[in-house]
Amino acid sequence: MPQISCAPDAALWLISTPHTSYAVRIDSGGAPCHVAWGGRLTLDEAAEIAARQPPVDREISSFEGRPPVGDELPVDGGARYGVPSLQVRFADGTRAVEWEPAGHDIREIPGGASELDLNFHDRHYPLDIGLHYRVYDDSDVIERWTTLRNTGTDDIVLLRADSAAWTLPPRADYRLSHVTGQWAAETQLGRETLPFGETVLTSRRGIPSHHANPWVMLDGGDASEDHGQVWSAALAWSGSWRITAQRTASDGRAGFTGGAGHDSTTLRLGPGRTHTTPRFAGLHTEGGFGAASRAWHAYIRAHVLPHPGEIRPVLYNSWEATGFDFDEKRQLALAARAAELGAELYVMDDGWFGARRADRAGLGDWTPSPDRFPEGLTPLADEVHRLGMLFGLWVEPEMVNADSDLYRAHPDWVLHFPHRTRTELRNQLVLNFARDDVADWAYGWLTALVADNGIDFLKWDMNRSFSEVGPAGPEGDDRLWSRYVHNLYRVTDRLRADHPRLRIEACSGGGGRVDLGILSRTDQAWPSDNTDAADRIAIQHGYSQLYPASTMAAWVTDVPNELTARTVPLAFRFHVATAGVLAVGGDLARWSQEELAEAAGFVDAYKQVRHLVQHGVQHRLRAPVDDGPTVVQYTSPDRAEVLVLAWQRAPRRGRPELPVHLAGLEPGAVYRDVATGVSHHATVLTGHGLPLELPPGDWASTAIHLRRVSD
């Protein structure tokens, strides 16, 4: 079990996970302060570290103030000049917070978890503050969140309410790792020295966005894929967010604070109301960035995903085959070919409803087009099921076209400002899910659609960012930003409760909405609209820094690729897609019998190893950093099987093809190549490497499946 212990005389608490410890204390002024976060400590050892920290009432320079990093939840007030995690404005205009301890609670949670609550009041004003921590017996991840309760009779304005702040120990240098990008080029991994001062990562778009993702990793500048300490944290929130990393020259420390909302959103906390922030989970690991990723993957599978033990089916999606130009007959023909290919889930994409003939009309009118499906969707769903596949649909519940019956009936349902132009992006407007009537409308047609048509799977898309987020609600604040996300969660939670067999893929024009919050309510995510296999290598590399392969949909589509016009071999496309949840999105009606037979072989090969990809332990053996091969390894939890995937764009003349050193094997074991029958000693594979023997020429790739030889 995880351990949470307390030294009351020292006002010190120690939270211990299987491999790490986290310590917090209350200083002489009553404020919660960070003590340590790293390797395992005893309570006495944590007390020694706490004793080294100067008292809050020590004399400080008039130009320095309280250190900007080190408070457990930095607030306005006193000589604090760092980034506040909590900013409030009371009814009389006062903005500072002064802490008064109000006790703590430690409890065991069924299922192997423990929680710590540290409770506080403001010294004068009617505000209760709770700092909350949860740990699990099988993970080093620490979940943190904050609750704020108005115990008075006047409103309190929350100018900023972060979930948590994290403090790192002094280091000579610090490096920040995160992902950036854009539509069709998401999750591009970047690592750069953390500058002194403040570095802000954020999304103001109403979604986590394609341009960043709500997680950070920090190290001392010396970590590699396999060595070094890494501190990281990820936010479970599917709307706008902000994470601010800080580095101070005064004491060599770094830290970061993060939460929902961006720099101009406020909430009004009415009398008796409680605000609970989303969870901001943190992790310390030894063993470099690879160890950090593997720990996050294990945590997400064990404590985030709703059905982590399932094997995700091979999916076929009709979009790139048909676009908007299709009818029931064409869908039936594609379904027959998809079944022959070995697909287990058939998904009909955009264009099946209302007057949808292009992206200019029909969104919001979620009934089957009578000219395309004269008897509704039931005949197609029944035939897909008869072919032995599950049946899925593309939906975009949060959007509406101005050219739709829904908008003509309810123009007030979209995000808008009075007397201001309603901005259309991709010819669509955003429905105001913060309104309960809009959310209830969406839930109503979704649950009926699933029930009436035997729907097994929904690809839930969301194809634009917010604009004109207003008018303000009755509270006179910016509550719409958060209420929208909570109602989105409420709709998906109700829908899944109604239909326990329903599975959902999160999509937002690609990877615009991937985070721990949405993954707790969906089964997989669409990382990018870019299906070019060459581009996907970098996208998947960045995605894997935090999220497991079992959540990553990966498509094989036609060439030349419709986005990049690049042509790569079918084997290369399949080997890249094998690194996630395999799907096919090409126009099967145009594939030759030879191509179909080759593809069916790759689908069958994937089914032999997908348990390793989706449930195994991932090692990134070689990153996509140059013209050499990119190599990824997946190993079963019992180390009995190994899959090695390698891709190389173009070999460089004169460059030797070096063997790749495997990781995480059973010491002393022997592994046999399933395809060739050649045996390898584990010691040789790890110490001397495995020859990849890539095929000659450009766009070479391989998949090597090894099984441990029984004694």
Side-chain angles (χ1 to χ4, degrees), residues 111-113 136-139 141 143 298-306 308 520:
Y136 300 93
D137 61 3
D138 61 353
S139 176
V141 170
E143 296 176 350
Y299 163 76
I300 291 170
R301 285 194 293 257
H303 303 292
V304 176
L305 295 174
S520 69

Side-chain angles (χ1 to χ4, degrees), residues 126 148-154 269-275:
L148 304 164
R149 184 169 182 269
N150 182 348
T151 60
T153 57
D154 296 315
L269 192 62
R273 297 275 297 273
T274 297
H275 174 71

Side-chain angles (χ1 to χ4, degrees), residues 19 26 43 94 116 136 145 155 173 199 202 214 251 290 305 337 349 363 467 526-527 534 552 564 620-621 664 704 709:
H19 305 101
I26 295 177
L43 195 57
T94 299
L116 167 66
Y136 300 93
W145 68 99
D155 287 355
D173 198 3
T199 300
T202 190
D251 59 6
L305 295 174
R337 284 217 157 185
D349 212 281
L363 275 179
S467 60
W526 180 231
M552 186 180 71
T564 67
R620 295 182 294 262
L621 301 182
I704 303 171
V709 178

Side-chain angles (χ1 to χ4, degrees), residues 497-518:
D498 289 349
H499 311 284
R501 296 177 56 191
L502 179 69
R503 300 295 177 260
I504 301 175
E505 178 176 288
C507 178
S508 180
R513 185 190 274 158
V514 182
D515 67 279
L516 299 183
I518 203 67

Side-chain angles (χ1 to χ4, degrees), residues 577-596:
T578 294
V581 178
L582 178 65
V584 177
D587 186 356
L588 300 183
R590 297 177 179 268
W591 287 24
S592 67
Q593 287 300 318
E594 291 76 13
E595 288 173 317
L596 287 169

Side-chain angles (χ1 to χ4, degrees), residues 301 308-311 550 610-617 635-637:
R301 285 194 293 257
E310 290 185 353
I311 288 290
S550 61
R610 62 178 164 185
H611 62 289
L612 302 175
V613 175
Q614 297 182 24
H615 295 158
V617 178
T635 306
S636 61

